[in-house]
Amino acid sequence: MNFLDIVFYVFAAITVFAAMGVITSRNPVNAALFLVLAFCSSAGIWMLLEAEFLAIVLVLVYVGAVMVLFLFVVMMLDINLVRLREGFWRWFPFGAGIAGLMVFEMIYVLGARQTSDTVHAVTHGADYSNTKELGRLLYTDYVYPFELAAVLLLVAMVAAIALTLRRRAGLKTQSISEQVQVQAADRVRIVKQMSAEGTDSATRK
Amino acid sequence: MMMDLLLSFEQAGQNLLGAAWLPLWTLVKIVLIVAPIMGAVAYTTLAERWVIGWIQIRIGPNRVGYFGLLQPIADGLKLLMKEIIIPTGANKFLFILGPILALMPALAAWAVVPFNAEMVLSNVNAGLLYILAMASLGVYGIIIAGWASNSKYAFLGALRSAAQIVSYEIAMGFALVCVLMAAQSMNLGDIVNGQKGHYGALNWYFIPLFPMFIVYFISGVAEANRAPFDVAEGESEIVAGFHVEYSGMAFALFFLAEYANMILISFLTSIMFLGGWLSPVPFLPDSIVWMLAKAVFVLFLFLWFRATFPRYRYDQLMRLGWKVFIPLSIIWVVVVGAWMQTPLWVW
């Protein structure tokens, strides 16, 4: 067992521990934070596979943006634990069925011939840039699927905005262009005032 | 000469310790990077009080030690002596984890920052992506602290900060996309070398990417939660925001994280746009001194901003991020892409 194997088992153990934490913690905020930990350690495993672009993008996109917004929402929830656990036995057979299916899939994939001992991951030198290769492939061989995925995301984004954008009648909003165009003279009037000599000099005039 | 000495030293260490040498030597390098940063952080707090004092025609700290030079140490000692109070109903583990997570990414990002052509802890190809990833992790310390405090002010501050950092990250990312297009590399060392040329400062990227230089620096100010974008801790609205419940060293860690972030962004701005360690005039040699001088100049801008600008209103801040910076940076990506196809691109 060399150094890389030890690192792999450490990351793998953390990932499994964090994944267990996601489904066993009672508080959704803790569960979300466990998911963050699981993402970080899986990024570490990907790094061991020399997939540095995917590893860093996993941290950048999922940990840095998606989970932040998740936490943002989850933290504002008012959670009633009793109500959450109400239908446990009713939904248990359904959940168990899905879990069984996933276990079967995992065994099917992991036991496949492609991942037998005779095939090893290809290793590259230190000057090999994973990012450059990925970019070249995405924009040449896979340019149509890539563009299609981009269009799909754009449609989803436009749809999400269209669904949440509501124009209520009588809504008061600020006109930014008016605010920006305001001059000092519109807001402040400088008045020249004689300084009073006696206490009643201003009232006499 | 120095390099030979260093190489023979490494060889001797390898012979003496074998496999344990590499982790140990890396640890020594990490300490050699982090220790000066922490010192710089301490003295940035003093510099801030001096600079703002001078701008406002005050004297600034001058009682502790000569010219007030021992002031940061006195402040640190005071904070060490104080009790760390954990509020009732707070999540204890996360309450302590918050400040640690705030400081960690600000220091971890230094792993890929090159100080000159040879001095870099980890010379990786995806350095720019790594920097972006670390910058996006900084928000966790703030939202965990805000939620774990079990306080409404802290929570509001945390939400504001999370929304702000996520928004400005996008503009920052696109500004860096322009840099990596210009340099055709994500390695920070290669980015600096891409700015090398016969005309000194005229070869640096701040000229073709001038709007991105501005966008990156202002987004950096927003990411570090500094004035005029410090709505996360807006004193007049939500007391002190996310760290209102923190005292003693736990508060000090947030403070250190803020200043470490400022120093990091100063260095990154000088690497990406101001030529890093390259000399601004062709007849002087390149050296780490230039790098430090540029970083100190950018750091001074941070302090100058704080003394000059009033705090942004929250909706104005969001408008600036989403409706000005993001469109501008996306357009500039296209402009740079088109520009690089023409012979007019001389960088």
Side-chain angles (χ1 to χ4, degrees), chain A residues 27 29-30 33 36 52-53 56 59-60 63-64 67-68 71-72 75-76 126-129 131 174 176 179, chain B residues 91 94 125-126 129-130 132-133 136-137 139-140 143-144 147 155 159 162-163 166 169 184 186 313 315 319:
Chain A
N27 192 329
V29 174
N30 286 350
L33 289 172
V36 169
E52 79 260 11
F53 179 78
I56 297 177
V59 173
L60 182 62
V63 178
M67 286 313 292
V68 170
L71 271 178
F72 202 95
M75 280 176 176
M76 284 194 281
D127 57 338
Y128 171 78
S129 175
T131 318
Q174 289 164 338
I176 300 294
Q179 286 186 346
Chain B
N91 186 327
L94 291 182
N125 282 328
L129 269 177
Y130 175 80
L132 273 174
S136 69
L137 289 186
V139 66
Y140 274 97
I143 57 180
I144 287 176
W147 183 77
F155 187 53
L159 290 186
V166 169
E169 224 171 63
Q184 303 195 358
M186 291 208 289
R313 213 172 60 204
D315 63 313
R319 178 176 158 269

Side-chain angles (χ1 to χ4, degrees), chain A residues 10-32:
Chain A
V10 169
F11 276 128
I14 295 174
T15 311
V16 172
F17 164 75
M20 295 297 282
V22 174
I23 52 171
T24 53
S25 11
R26 301 220 167 143
N27 192 329
V29 174
N30 286 350

